[in-house]
Amino acid sequence: ISVFNGTNPEPISTSTVKEILNGIQSGIYQEKIKWVRSALPDKIEYTRRKKTLPAVTFGCCVRYRGLEMNPQNPKSGPQNLISVTQLIALDLDHLGDKFESVRKTLQSDPNILACFKSPGGDGLKVLLYSPGIHTKEDHLRFYYAAERYFFETYGLKIDPACKDLAR
């Protein structure tokens, strides 16, 4: 997967899903996350700080994050996709007082590879695996299937921005 310095669209390195998840679990990002969360409830400052967090594209490895053609950015386009991982990362935002019960429920779902707290602290990042993902179009189909599954099974809505393979 590609690793980025904040919202910079050019990756600084590559890593494995296992390395990133081990880093999250070991608390390697904990101090930076605390610093970001300390800006709440000031949404503007929180957003500014959040943009400095390390970022990864769990769904793919890319040369540059812009997979769609953008006439104003000559670096953008489908040629940036190096490989897909067959993973999709979903965001469940603003769970509020349902956070703990949703986390416990999802951690027992055999379809979920990993589930961890989002930078804001009141949402979850969820990883799903599908051996059928080989293209951007496959990723989009899997997103819609996951969206339906989470709504029908748990009554949860996932962030539609997760449709983007290089998010």
Side-chain angles (χ1 to χ4, degrees), residues 37-149:
R37 287 181 187 159
S38 71
L40 288 169
D42 181 340
K43 292 285 188 192
I44 293 170
E45 180 61 15
Y46 167 77
T47 301
R48 186 189 71 74
R49 290 182 185 190
K50 185 177 168 188
K51 288 179 180 181
T52 70
L53 289 173
V56 299
T57 51
F58 278 113
C60 62
C61 188
V62 295
R63 290 178 189 85
Y64 188 86
R65 243 189 257 190
L67 297 180
E68 300 301 322
M69 288 300 298
N70 178 349
Q72 296 177 357
N73 185 346
K75 289 186 175 184
S76 68
Q79 74 279 0
N80 289 313
L81 182 62
I82 296 170
S83 63
V84 296
T85 62
Q86 302 182 322
L87 295 175
I88 190 169
L90 306 175
D91 290 341
L92 300 170
D93 297 323
H94 312 296
L95 295 172
D97 60 352
K98 297 188 302 183
F99 177 84
E100 277 305 322
S101 64
V102 169
R103 180 165 63 170
K104 282 183 183 177
T105 300
L106 296 183
Q107 286 175 333
S108 67
D109 185 321
N111 298 302
I112 294 175
L113 178 68
C115 178
F116 53 93
K117 193 181 280 193
S118 65
D122 69 341
L124 291 167
K125 302 282 186 186
V126 179
L127 292 181
L128 301 174
Y129 168 76
S130 174
I133 300 176
H134 302 289
T135 65
K136 272 181 23 177
E137 293 74 23
D138 293 339
H139 175 87
L140 190 58
R141 280 192 290 280
F142 189 35
Y143 165 82
Y144 286 118
E147 181 181 58
R148 187 173 51 255
Y149 174 76

Side-chain angles (χ1 to χ4, degrees), residues 3-12 51-53 55 64-65 75:
V3 179
F4 301 85
N5 185 12
T7 57
N8 187 330
E10 296 188 41
I12 57 171
K51 288 179 180 181
T52 70
L53 289 173
Y64 188 86
R65 243 189 257 190
K75 289 186 175 184

